[in-house]
Amino acid sequence: MLTLPTFDDVAAAAQRLEGHAHRTPVMRSRTVDAEIGAEVFFKCENFQRMGAFKFRGAFNALSKFDESQRRAGVVAFSSGNHAQAIALSASLLGMPATIVMPHDAPASKVAATRGYGGKIVMYDRYTEDREQIGRKLAEDEGLTLIPPYDHPDVIAGQGTAAKELFEETGPLDALFVCLGGGGLLSGSALSTRALAPACKLYGVEPEAGNDGQQSFRTGAIVHIDTPKTIADGAQTQHLGAYTFEIIRRDVDDVLTASDAQLVDAMRFFASRMKLMVEPTGCLSFAAAREMKASLLGKRVGIIVSGGNIDLDRFCALTTSL
């Protein structure tokens, strides 16, 4: 039996993160309010350290290492944001970090991970198993493996973003959260059920990679091939054991958004709110726009998960017809 993290773990993570993580802004847009017919609150994790919510879970997990673990170091696998988060957190805490990253990871994420001091091991995401590579490195080199989402300390850390949102806005009627492996959504679920139990909670994943939706609706973890989507932060193949149990217990539904909807959301964020948001970070907003008929008169929260995207890639996506 798994021992699932609780909101008490989220509260403890918030204390560890104080003075290290940014308390990111909550932004509003009158244009969005008018479009959706609701009061909409954007929790902007694109302004978090290293540009995404992932810093919260990574720092919380690494800060709990004992002295021998710190000396040996950490290993993680990630397409980019968790990689940067682990590398930065390890640097701040004075420990070495090895990161397993795909060959096609965004160049800016690879460069940032190296810049934070991470040692990168490349792999092919379509032919190799990153989890197997990470486990072998941990075993061979005595490293502690911190996965990107399926870990109680990571989940608790990610839950601090929703905790801050509710503390600033008060109870909400609905909250939309992007979904890859489920760390942010399951952490948000812990905070939602503790602080706003009546709030409807929705996970949102890429249309091309709806393993979470399938898992939620069938009651068992569904594995898929690596999805082809511009939302590189959500190109996961399955939910985790911890994240699935929390999601199926506490989430109201899992929705999807198409790549075209993500591009439209990226354009809106850039042109109307002056925000650079990566495709994965647009999932929650894209779904809320599609659900606007059921959100009339509601108070709606949207977690913008990150803003890490190569400038050339951003321009190519947002200027394409």
Side-chain angles (χ1 to χ4, degrees):
M1 288 288 292
L2 295 175
T3 300
L4 299 178
T6 67
F7 180 69
D8 286 343
D9 296 308
V10 177
Q15 291 186 324
R16 293 187 196 97
L17 287 165
E18 192 165 354
H20 299 285
H22 298 321
R23 191 177 182 95
T24 52
V26 175
M27 297 185 67
R28 302 288 308 278
S29 165
R30 290 192 299 174
T31 303
V32 172
D33 286 0
E35 177 188 336
I36 297 180
E39 291 181 77
V40 182
F41 302 86
F42 294 92
K43 178 63 169 170
C44 295
E45 286 293 289
N46 51 315
F47 291 116
Q48 188 51 263
R49 292 187 76 162
M50 49 68 52
F53 74 95
K54 291 282 192 178
F55 178 78
R56 297 173 181 272
F59 189 89
N60 184 54
L62 268 59
S63 68
K64 295 183 69 177
F65 278 20
D66 62 29
E67 189 55 41
S68 64
Q69 288 177 303
R70 291 193 183 204
R71 279 197 305 270
V74 61
V75 61
F77 46 82
S78 166
S79 63
N81 283 340
H82 182 62
Q84 294 172 80
I86 288 289
L88 175 58
S89 298
S91 176
L92 293 171
L93 293 166
M95 68 179 81
T98 300
I99 315 294
V100 180
M101 298 186 75
H103 287 293
D104 61 349
S108 61
K109 295 183 178 182
V110 174
T113 302
R114 282 204 178 100
Y116 293 135
K119 172 189 171 185
I120 297 177
V121 174
M122 290 288 191
Y123 79 103
D124 186 328
R125 76 164 90 217
Y126 298 104
T127 62
E128 295 181 283
D129 185 340
R130 66 180 190 171
E131 297 181 28
Q132 184 179 53
I133 296 169
R135 286 193 297 268
K136 189 171 190 314
L137 284 167
E139 183 179 336
D140 291 349
E141 301 181 21
L143 310 176
T144 300
L145 176 64
I146 298 295
Y149 52 85
D150 202 34
H151 190 288
D153 296 333
V154 171
I155 291 168
Q158 316 305 29
T160 61
K163 177 179 180 290
E164 291 175 6
L165 175 62
F166 286 119
E167 288 170 349
E168 185 161 337
T169 66
L172 298 170
D173 298 303
L175 177 63
F176 293 80
V177 182
C178 73
L179 171 59
L184 181 61
L185 179 58
S186 54
S188 297
L190 299 178
S191 293
T192 300
R193 295 301 161 234
L195 301 177
C199 178
K200 294 288 187 182
L201 179 60
Y202 302 100
V204 189
E205 61 189 345
E207 189 175 75
N210 71 331
D211 61 290
Q213 186 181 66
Q214 293 181 59
S215 301
F216 181 80
R217 294 181 182 178
T218 62
I221 296 176
V222 172
H223 292 246
I224 62 171
D225 292 334
T226 300
K228 290 181 169 34
T229 172
I230 62 172
D232 64 280
Q235 283 184 294
T236 47
Q237 296 175 289
H238 58 86
L239 297 176
Y242 289 96
T243 61
F244 173 65
E245 290 300 328
I246 297 170
I247 287 168
R248 75 170 179 171
R249 182 190 71 190
D250 292 339
V251 172
D252 289 283
D253 202 0
V254 176
L255 314 171
T256 65
S258 69
D259 280 2
Q261 290 170 328
L262 299 183
V263 169
D264 193 49
M266 290 172 68
R267 288 190 183 118
F268 181 90
F269 277 131
S271 62
R272 301 306 297 267
M273 296 182 70
K274 315 310 172 192
L275 297 175
M276 179 176 282
V277 181
E278 63 186 280
T280 307
C282 294
L283 284 164
S284 48
F285 180 40
R289 296 174 99 179
E290 288 299 301
M291 273 190 66
K292 62 184 179 182
S294 62
L295 298 175
L296 287 173
K298 306 291 188 182
R299 288 165 49 82
V300 178
I302 291 174
I303 296 185
V304 179
S305 62
N308 292 325
I309 181 171
D310 297 339
L311 185 58
D312 289 346
R313 176 70 168 154
F314 180 88
C315 293
L317 287 172
T318 54
T319 58
S320 61
L321 297 177

